[in-house]
Amino acid sequence: MAAGVATWLPFARAAAVGWLPLAQQPLPPAPGVKASRGDEVLVVNVSGRRFETWKNTLDRYPDTLLGSSEKEFFYDADSGEYFFDRDPDMFRHVLNFYRTGRLHCPRQECIQAFDEELAFYGLVPELVGDCCLEEYRDRKKENAERLAEDEEAEQAGDGPILPAGSSLRQRLWRAFENPHTSTAALVFYYVTGFFIAVSVIANVVETIPCRGPTRRPPREQPCGDRFPLAFFCMDTACVLIFTGEYLLRLFAAPSRCRFLRSVMSLIDVVAILPYYIGLFVPKNEDVSGAFVTLRVFRVFRIFKFSRHSQGLRILGYTLKSCASELGFLLFSLTMAIIIFATVMFYAEKGTNKTNFTSIPAAFWYTIVTMTTLGYGDMVPSTIAGKIFGSICSLSGVLVIALPVPVIVSNFSRIYHQNQRADKRRAQQKVRLARIRLAKSGTTNAFLQYKQNGGLEDSGSGEEQALCVRNRSAFEQQHHHLLHCLEKTTCHEFTDELTFSETLGAVSLGGRTSRSTSVSSQPVGPGSLLSSCCPRRAKRRAIRLANSTASVSRGSMQELDTLAGLRRSPAPQSRSSLNAKPHDSLDLNCESRDFVAAIISIPTPPANTPDESQPSSPGGSGRASSTVRNSSLGTPCLLPETVKISSL
Amino acid sequence: MAGTDKIEDELEMTMVCHRPEGLEQLEAQTNFTKRELQVLYRGFKNECPSGVVNEETFKQIYAQFFPHGDASTYAHYLFHAFDTTQTGSVKFEDFVTALSILLRGTVHEKLRWTFNLYDINKDGYINKEEMMDIVKAIYDMMGKYTYPVLKEDTPRQHVDVFFQKMDKNKDGIVTLDEFLESCQEDDNIMRSLQLFQNVM
């Protein structure tokens, strides 16, 4: 929970008096309050430096180490203080968080060390206050990048690690995308590069006139016509290689449709197509004109170099993102050209033998003048024409010079902005996800508390699960408050899955929905368990296994590792579970290797195995869902005795 | 002239800081001991350094206890029940006075406070519309995912049941006396009133 909410709980509970006249059922009894010692000053000894603070200050954030019962582990009864063997300088910031509600980031400390301290004390890095957040993020990013670079360098030295058993296709694709992974790939990379260069040079050279021996009249011929066979062979070889490369890439691509649509493949196609078209076009006069045009497309082979050059790709991308500025430049130039062309045309209209035969003809003059080229093939002869001509050339400089710096600055701005925006977007998603996680934590804590038999009137509470007993006073009171609300409205809190199932059951005409639908669950550590007890298990308990998987901060990692463990034998449909409960039970009896976790069901006698449960280090403040790896020694799981226990 | 006035106004706005009456006075006015008042005030001051809570903050705080649903409507009604002087902000004295009634008050006082909560327009009578608003606000706090599924007319049914019980002369409104009488006849309510005694 967020800022200092624990302070307001007594008031929220007091306000519950307002529900009393409406409640149709009797409200539950209040949780037994241990003789409250009132507010007292706690001493926290961090590596010899003593910090003193009110107990209430620490209780403000019950889901952290200092605010929950976890700090009892560090209590030294002899000296009556809490001893932490950690950095006292960092602790100052942590304690200030409790006092002020804002977590500040120390500027002179290593960001990694700060992170570690936060993790130890149970503070999420998202709690860093706005004043220090930017700097914290930047430093963390820097650090991460530096570490990543080091790792990469290490890895490159060791050689590429290929996942075992990857198919030829995957290896081929890897070779194409990262030529540095193997020598063969590198060789291929350079060979294709070489042939691209050869092809382009050939295209260029075949148009150079070369004087051969005087076999023919001394008219210079382009080399292409002099040595047609040689050039044809070279062209064929290049095209063969390009075609082979293209087909190989097509074969290796993980998603062929996407590959076909990508720019690079289009360039490849355009580069080799003219050759094939040329092969099939008969050499007659009509079509050869078109054929010659096609040869122009051969120059696009030069764009194949962009696979080999990162810089070209970046340039292409930035051009694309600067399209609007370029468009503006073009538009303003067009406007100016039209205006001046019109003016020049009418100014020169009277002259005989003028070059300015029409306005479009004047376009050429305007462009050449405005870009200060001044070829001199068209010059005005009238005085008016010359005046306007000079105005044209002066304004040309302005019109071009003005947008260009804007475009240049836009380039750099957009380029850097894109980079930063992507990163920020990714961070935002993570931040929101974490907040949602924390929020769902409190929601699920209550649901799990219910399932753990906390609401049973088991009187002495000895049979209650340890995890129920270990909740802090804050949790107890908060859950009591929520329970009161339930009783007032005669409805209970559930989670999303159960709710949608209930809705489904209602719509299906009240089909017995006791069994769980494994198929509808996301496969996670919890779903393994649901197939264990199809009939007896209450829906909610099983749902909780999924939801609690997301709750406690400590067991997050443990549960994550479990996600890789063996899953339930087969996704079973609801009807199959309804029909053959014994079969499914048998299935699970076979799965003996190990069980990832087990669910708790709130049938009173089922709570006995809990005695052996180690009290979770996370305390109940963190919805003590705990996971234990145990091999199923017993041949068959009792449907009732299924618990979630901790590693 | 006007300029200097404006500057002073601005200064005052940013530095509004309400200090509560003295500890002794509060102790005399409420049923809390000095220590309890100290604890309460430290918490309050930390959350609201300016010494007053406004409705937005109040709603946010209350919403954190009921993450499942939407507690803002009910928090709105609660806020107005706390804000006895209808100034739009709750000071520490209001806060502590209300807590004193709710936790340490007599049965009569508690029931009167509840009546005041239900009576949204503070005219001394509760009619069906006001009750509907309150009950709807309470059901909103439950959220969407409940078992059994919340139906459209559940609040209405609840209000009808309530009125049947409370409205003695069946005139469609509940007065304070009717309310007190009916509540005292109901054992459940009487028992539950003792529940929140030891909240502090």
Side-chain angles (χ1 to χ4, degrees), chain B residues 55-187:
Chain B
E55 192 168 335
E56 270 314 302
T57 325
F58 191 91
K59 280 186 181 170
Q60 280 170 13
I61 292 171
Y62 203 71
Q64 282 167 348
F65 293 108
F66 301 97
H68 307 259
D70 175 24
S72 53
T73 331
Y74 189 68
H76 167 80
Y77 295 133
L78 257 191
F79 185 80
H80 284 283
F82 267 72
D83 184 12
T84 42
T85 46
Q86 302 301 318
T87 51
S89 58
V90 169
K91 303 185 290 294
F92 183 64
E93 290 95 333
D94 303 328
F95 180 63
V96 149
T97 317
L99 268 189
S100 164
I101 295 177
L102 288 172
L103 300 180
R104 305 283 162 88
T106 64
V107 165
H108 248 169
E109 287 173 340
K110 288 183 190 174
L111 289 175
R112 200 173 303 128
W113 189 90
T114 314
F115 184 86
N116 189 38
L117 170 69
Y118 294 162
D119 183 13
I120 298 177
N121 54 5
K122 317 283 177 228
D123 62 352
Y125 303 105
I126 303 178
N127 55 14
K128 270 210 169 161
E129 284 74 30
E130 289 173 336
M131 215 48 227
M132 257 312 273
D133 289 339
I134 297 270
V135 167
K136 189 121 198 350
I138 293 181
Y139 274 92
D140 281 344
M141 283 200 289
M142 288 295 294
K144 210 167 83 163
Y145 304 122
T146 58
Y147 175 78
V149 178
L150 266 180
K151 299 196 190 47
E152 278 296 313
D153 59 345
T154 315
R156 169 146 294 283
Q157 283 174 359
H158 203 140
V159 171
D160 289 335
V161 165
F162 176 81
F163 259 78
Q164 256 176 355
K165 201 165 56 156
M166 300 282 166
D167 192 7
K168 295 284 181 204
N169 57 2
K170 307 292 172 211
D171 60 352
I173 51 174
V174 178
T175 63
L176 180 60
D177 299 318
E178 287 176 339
F179 185 75
L180 288 174
E181 210 186 303
S182 324
C183 285
Q184 276 164 336
E185 285 168 7
D186 187 338
D187 276 335

Side-chain angles (χ1 to χ4, degrees), chain A residues 34 62 81 93 101 209 230 236 326 345-346 395 416 551 579 607:
Chain A
K34 303 168 252 190
E81 56 190 25
H93 298 280
T236 312
L326 285 173
F345 172 71
Y346 282 111
S395 66
H416 288 296
V551 168
N607 287 321

Side-chain angles (χ1 to χ4, degrees), chain A residues 5 18-19 22 39 478 491-492, chain B residues 42 64-65 118 147-148 158:
Chain A
V5 141
W19 301 336
L22 285 171
D39 204 10
H478 184 222
H491 285 75
E492 293 176 8
Chain B
R42 280 207 296 271
Q64 282 167 348
F65 293 108
Y118 294 162
Y147 175 78
H158 203 140

Side-chain angles (χ1 to χ4, degrees), chain A residues 5-22:
Chain A
V5 141
T7 323
W8 292 94
L9 185 61
F11 137 76
R13 296 191 64 219
V17 167
W19 301 336
L20 289 182
L22 285 171

